[in-house]
Amino acid sequence: MVKSSHQHETRGPFHADQLRPGDPYELSNGHPIHGLPTGSRGGRATNVGGGVLASDPAVQDVGVDIGFSPSPEILRAPDLAVGEMPDEPGWVHGAPPLAVEYADTGQDEAALRIKMQELFAAGTRYVWVVRLTGPRRVEVHQPGLKMRIANPGEQLVAPGILANPVPVEALYDREAANRVIFKNLLERQGYASLDDVRAEGEAHGRAEGEAIGRAEGEALGRIEGEAQGLRRAIVAVLEGRGLPVDNELETALASADDPFVLESTLRQAATGSLADVLAALRA
């Protein structure tokens, strides 16, 4: 979130390697730009949007306030950056393909324009500016194209960067974000939707029931098959988020056989903690 800056035609004295992580500055043409803390609304929204973008099946990395230095005199830190970011100290060379800025009260519009210009010059393909004041909306900026406005109910796309469209409201509304994250995490595990999870389990259970050779066995097999498919999906989604599936959770999953409870647990697995998942299983 850009707060204050001034454009400088002459090159300033500073280089990016003179700044350290945690310093409250960016650099524009060698001149320091002081960054103020983000307000409550902006910080909450940034966290929500970051989760949505990170869950997209095509996304490798999402960074919050990560410094990008395409040249020694430039250091820019978008609120959210989507792209490849090495797991090592220091600034990222170049610029992210997609940058997201959250604009709230106190936004310096001239500073934001300069920041976008420098990102585009370094290779950024999209900058989404999420407006938190007035009617909620997202400004879509691309180099060489006229800015367009996307309103709630519309979707944002970034071909070649994101696999799935992003509803405007998912960048700031947690409930909308959770729905997108849930769908994205299922897709990461090979399921187009929750219906696919059910269908896989039912097919497996039907096959087991047919092997028994009785109508009752087939019906019970379908139910157990659906439950088993949901259990596998829960584990896959948690592991995809990097959350460990320990013995306590494995035991709770093995004893859960109600598909409705398991569906609720699967939704918790997409966004909640391990404690939330266990609570859903035991509800």
Side-chain angles (χ1 to χ4, degrees):
M1 187 174 296
V2 180
K3 286 290 186 178
S4 62
S5 170
H6 299 282
Q7 188 169 12
H8 300 274
E9 295 182 359
T10 58
R11 181 169 295 183
F14 295 101
H15 284 178
D17 60 9
Q18 295 173 283
L19 297 179
R20 298 170 298 174
D23 285 344
Y25 295 99
E26 295 179 73
L27 285 181
S28 176
N29 199 24
H31 293 273
I33 303 166
H34 187 249
L36 299 177
T38 300
S40 174
R41 179 167 60 181
R44 286 169 58 88
T46 301
N47 183 56
V48 167
V52 169
L53 297 174
S55 70
D56 184 90
V59 169
Q60 180 174 344
D61 295 310
V62 173
V64 179
D65 287 330
I66 287 184
F68 289 81
S69 182
S71 58
E73 71 280 1
I74 300 293
L75 178 64
R76 286 302 192 174
D79 291 336
L80 294 173
V82 179
E84 185 176 351
M85 285 156 253
D87 185 16
E88 58 188 37
W91 314 125
V92 181
H93 180 70
L98 168 63
V100 182
E101 289 287 317
Y102 285 82
D104 205 344
T105 55
Q107 177 66 58
D108 186 325
E109 297 297 332
L112 180 58
R113 287 195 296 273
I114 296 167
K115 184 172 186 175
M116 288 192 291
Q117 289 168 4
E118 292 179 343
L119 288 170
F120 287 142
T124 295
R125 294 167 52 195
Y126 297 89
V127 175
W128 295 348
V129 179
V130 183
R131 295 289 179 177
L132 299 176
T133 55
R136 294 289 174 93
R137 63 205 185 278
V138 176
E139 295 174 356
V140 178
H141 298 263
Q142 294 176 257
L145 297 179
K146 183 180 179 181
M147 181 270 289
R148 73 174 183 87
I149 294 177
N151 295 302
E154 298 182 69
Q155 295 188 324
L156 303 159
V157 295
I161 304 170
L162 302 177
N164 294 329
V166 178
V168 165
E169 53 270 35
L171 290 177
Y172 54 80
D173 180 83
R174 189 169 298 280
E175 287 193 11
N178 285 345
R179 290 192 293 270
V180 175
I181 292 170
F182 178 66
K183 182 179 183 299
N184 283 345
L185 289 176
L186 285 182
E187 191 171 320
R188 276 182 176 264
Q189 304 306 321
Y191 301 106
S193 67
L194 182 56
D195 287 339
D196 274 9
V197 178
R198 296 192 191 101
E200 179 187 80
E202 287 177 359
H204 180 73
R206 188 179 299 110
E208 289 187 350
E210 289 172 351
I212 296 173
R214 292 181 291 107
E216 182 182 357
E218 183 178 342
L220 291 173
R222 283 200 302 271
I223 295 172
E224 174 53 29
E226 182 179 356
Q228 185 60 30
L230 288 164
R231 292 188 199 104
R232 287 198 299 269
I234 290 167
V235 172
V237 166
L238 289 172
E239 290 179 344
R241 294 178 59 204
L243 297 178
V245 179
D246 57 18
N247 291 336
E248 182 181 10
L249 182 54
E250 286 181 349
T251 300
L253 277 170
S255 62
D257 54 12
D258 185 337
F260 293 103
V261 170
L262 289 166
E263 282 189 19
S264 175
T265 302
L266 179 56
R267 295 183 185 279
Q268 285 290 345
T271 57
S273 65
L274 289 175
D276 294 330
V277 173
L278 280 168
L281 282 171
R282 293 166 175 167

